[in-house]
């Protein structure tokens, strides 16, 4: 069968024969091959640990985003109470972005969970094959003449070698995906860092990069309906302490700094 | 015939099912050559489904080499195209 499947088979066989060519003595071939298998098994374990680390990192980020959603919601209410609708709108837009990010983080975490499970299964499968190879190796060494042993070794090594190549491939793909997620997580973190309260108070001084991104990303109708809901809850012309989050005056700046300094204390989930 | 779906595992497929597999494989290659991404993905999905449906999973303690090895189920069109030239999917 030429083509797709044929090419994969050829590449794998070439890699296995390269592996076997390293040693000429049958007993040496067996030991070398076994050594390689054990190494791969260790690598798979490291790979699993890597995926778990990435998952934990995303979970941490997820928690931060949840906190941010609560914080932005509060800020929107405060801004609205202070009569600054533009500021409230920006806060809600950011909340909208944060919520969208949260959803994509959720699905990424689920994907990593699946990868972790897949790699764990691969590890078990490889372990079973290695165990089989180990016992076969002892039998071959004990029972066969050098010439016969060579044939049987080659059979066993080809079988286990294919499994090794496949586990290697599965691991590489899982780790590549994990890398992509890490890169994305970093990008989100930058966006998060840029979307601080300081920027909100600086509103009116023109759009920065983040604001433009926000406008593209956020669904304005959702923001408007949330704003309307919030207004209704607060009651228009409420008696909330005006000026606390004023329209960009110096006191508002101070409040922003204070808010930023201690975000975790303020917003228990 | 022993068939491996890369990153998934080995299946024992009856000889009577081999012609269908061969046809699907050729169709996948043709779609790939023609730059027909959707056609490739459709055919390849059918191919993988066929192996899973008709094949019996090979026991974990068997050390047999596969007769054919298909790319991973989540192979992308770009990767499939690269299979025909260059390094292919298998890591060094």
């Amino acid at each position: 069968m030429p083509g797709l499947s044929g090419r994969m088979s050829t590449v794998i066989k070439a890699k296995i024969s390269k592996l076997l060519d390293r040693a000429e003595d049958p007993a040496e071939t067996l030991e070398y091959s076994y050594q390689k298998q054990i190494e791969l098994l260790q690598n798979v374990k490291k790979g699993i640990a890597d995926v778990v680390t990435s998952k934990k990192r995303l979970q941490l980020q997820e928690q931060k985003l949840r906190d941010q959603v609560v914080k932005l919601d509060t800020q929107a209410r405060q801004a609205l109470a202070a009569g600054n609708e533009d500021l409230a709108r920006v806060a809600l837009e950011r909340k909208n972005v944060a919520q969208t990010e949260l959803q994509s983080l959720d699905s990424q975490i689920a994907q990593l969970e699946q990868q972790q499970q897949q790699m764990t299964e691969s590890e078990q499968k490889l372990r079973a094959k290695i165990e089989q190879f180990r016992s076969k190796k002892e039998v071959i060494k004990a029972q066969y003449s050098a010439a016969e042993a060579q044939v049987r070794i080659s059979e066993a090594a080809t079988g286990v070698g294919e499994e090794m190549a496949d586990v290697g491939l599965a691991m590489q793909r899982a780790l590549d995906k994990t890398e992509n997620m890490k890169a994305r997580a970093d990008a989100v973190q930058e966006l998060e860092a840029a979307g601080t309260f300081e920027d909100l108070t600086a509103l009116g001084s023109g759009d920065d990069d983040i604001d433009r991104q926000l406008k593209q990303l956020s669904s304005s109708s959702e923001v408007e309906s949330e704003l309307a809901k919030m207004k209704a809850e607060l009651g228009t012309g409420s008696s909330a302490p005006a000026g606390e989050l004023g329209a960009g005056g110096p006191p508002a700046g101070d409040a922003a700094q204070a808010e930023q300094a201690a975000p975790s204390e303020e917003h228990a989930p | 015939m022993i068939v491996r779906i890369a990153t998934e595992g080995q299946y024992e497929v009856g000889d009577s099912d081999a012609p269908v597999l061969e046809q699907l494989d050729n169709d996948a290659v043709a779609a790939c050559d023609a730059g027909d991404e959707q056609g490739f993905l459709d055919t390849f999905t059918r191919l993988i489904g066929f192996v899973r449906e008709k094949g019996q999973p090979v026991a974990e303690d068997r050390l047999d080499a596969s007769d054919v090895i298909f790319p991973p189920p989540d192979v992308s069109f770009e990767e499939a195209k690269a299979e025909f030239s260059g390094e292919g999917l298998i890591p060094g």
Side-chain angles (χ1 to χ4, degrees), chain A residues 115 168-178, chain B residues 7 72 74-76 79 89:
Chain A
Q115 269 167 30
L169 176 65
M171 196 167 67
Q172 184 185 291
R173 289 174 82 75
L175 293 179
D176 281 352
K177 280 181 194 160
T178 309
Chain B
T7 74
D74 63 346
V75 74
S76 70
E79 287 173 323
L89 290 173

Side-chain angles (χ1 to χ4, degrees), chain A residues 18-49:
Chain A
K18 215 160 84 187
L19 185 86
L20 294 181
D21 279 350
R22 295 277 186 91
E24 288 187 358
D25 167 46
E28 210 182 304
T29 308
L30 281 173
E31 290 312 323
Y32 180 74
S33 179
Y34 185 63
Q35 222 40 56
K36 282 278 158 199
Q37 293 162 28
I38 299 294
E39 273 172 35
L40 180 61
L41 199 60
Q42 297 303 325
N43 277 339
V44 174
K45 277 187 196 159
K46 270 185 220 150
I48 294 173

Side-chain angles (χ1 to χ4, degrees), chain A residues 211-230:
Chain A
D211 285 322
R212 270 193 293 277
Q213 284 182 48
L214 281 169
K215 274 178 189 154
Q216 279 172 359
L217 283 168
S218 63
S219 125
S220 59
S221 65
E222 229 170 278
V223 168
E224 292 306 325
S225 76
E226 202 170 349
L227 194 63
K229 207 175 112 196
M230 230 174 231

Side-chain angles (χ1 to χ4, degrees), chain A residues 80-110:
Chain A
L80 206 56
N84 191 339
E85 196 175 316
D86 284 345
L87 191 56
R89 185 173 288 115
V90 174
L92 286 179
E93 275 168 5
R94 283 176 202 256
K95 182 184 155 191
N96 208 283
V97 173
Q99 275 170 330
T100 310
E101 281 304 330
L102 210 51
Q103 276 166 12
S104 99
L105 264 186
D106 277 347
S107 78
Q108 283 179 12
I109 289 169

Side-chain angles (χ1 to χ4, degrees), chain A residues 7 125 129 162 166 177, chain B residues 4 8 62 66 83 86:
Chain A
R7 159 122 185 125
K125 222 187 272 181
K129 297 252 183 206
E162 187 186 304
D166 201 34
K177 280 181 194 160
Chain B
R4 178 183 289 275
E8 185 170 312
R62 269 177 66 183
S66 305
E83 250 325 271

